Amino acid sequence: MASKARELVKTERPTHYLSPLEEIERFFEKAWLSPFSMMRSMFSRDYMEFRADLPSVDMFEEGNELVVKADLPGIRKEDLDVHLSGNILTVSGETKSEEKVEKGDYYRFERRKGSFSRRFELPYEVNTEKMKAHLENGVLEIRLSKAYEGESLTKKIRITG
């Protein structure tokens, strides 16, 4: 039984987004009409959290496996969820940290909490019985083997490490 193989290609942007030239034009128009408004949005809390909470991810083929690596520094495996449904891989998690500093009459206590979720369309169906995920030194590595017809396509992936 042969599986349908699809090529790993970059997905094109949906048509409702602006083209790069239109984005540049809009940027300069906004900067010209209201030069300080962009600084306000760039340093806003929402902008900073959005950028910080999306992990960097690499996806590549190695032999008969599709390998997905995500940079997740400071995240414990208990706070991660890796799920495969059909050919959609979802990696989500929650970051929680507390920092307490007491020196003489100086006291600081900070808490941070945030969540992220990334979804990836896989280029082919994978064998759910041979999926592996391992978290070590802040790097999540997921290994997915190509599937054959008739295999189950939905499963939660257990993370080791």
Side-chain angles (χ1 to χ4, degrees):
M1 292 184 254
S3 67
K4 295 186 300 184
R6 291 188 287 169
E7 206 175 304
L8 184 62
V9 294
K10 185 176 180 180
T11 305
E12 294 298 319
R13 297 172 106 182
T15 57
H16 64 275
Y17 288 115
L18 297 175
S19 74
L21 291 176
E22 289 172 320
E23 287 180 16
I24 291 169
E25 188 175 279
R26 181 179 279 181
F27 173 84
F28 282 111
E29 182 177 298
K30 186 173 181 180
W32 182 258
L33 295 175
S34 182
F36 298 108
S37 68
M38 301 197 80
M39 288 177 60
R40 187 172 47 248
S41 66
M42 202 165 90
F43 294 108
S44 75
R45 185 176 157 229
D46 294 338
Y47 178 82
M48 300 293 269
E49 284 183 8
F50 175 75
R51 300 297 301 163
D53 290 341
L54 290 179
S56 298
V57 176
D58 294 322
M59 185 184 302
F60 56 91
E61 287 189 60
E62 192 173 90
N64 195 36
E65 291 183 317
L66 181 64
V67 180
V68 179
K69 286 189 175 186
D71 294 331
L72 303 168
I75 297 180
R76 302 175 311 163
K77 70 178 185 176
E78 297 82 22
D79 296 327
L80 278 175
D81 183 45
V82 179
H83 189 85
L84 178 70
S85 182
N87 69 336
I88 304 293
L89 176 69
T90 304
V91 177
S92 56
E94 198 169 323
T95 59
K96 300 176 211 168
S97 66
E98 291 185 1
E99 184 180 352
K100 184 177 181 179
V101 176
E102 288 185 70
K103 291 182 180 179
D105 56 346
Y106 175 77
Y107 178 80
R108 183 182 77 190
F109 184 73
E110 292 187 20
R111 282 187 242 176
R112 181 169 186 251
K113 183 177 179 179
S115 60
F116 66 89
S117 182
R118 300 239 8 220
R119 295 175 55 154
F120 306 95
E121 183 176 356
L122 303 180
Y124 46 75
E125 295 174 356
V126 297
N127 182 337
T128 58
E129 300 304 315
K130 294 184 180 180
M131 296 184 301
K132 295 179 247 168
H134 183 75
L135 180 65
E136 186 174 340
N137 297 327
V139 178
L140 174 66
E141 180 177 286
I142 305 166
R143 292 191 165 265
L144 307 157
S145 295
K146 292 181 181 180
Y148 300 99
E149 282 185 40
E151 292 178 325
S152 174
L153 299 178
T154 301
K155 187 170 185 178
K156 182 177 168 101
I157 304 170
R158 188 174 67 84
I159 303 168
T160 63

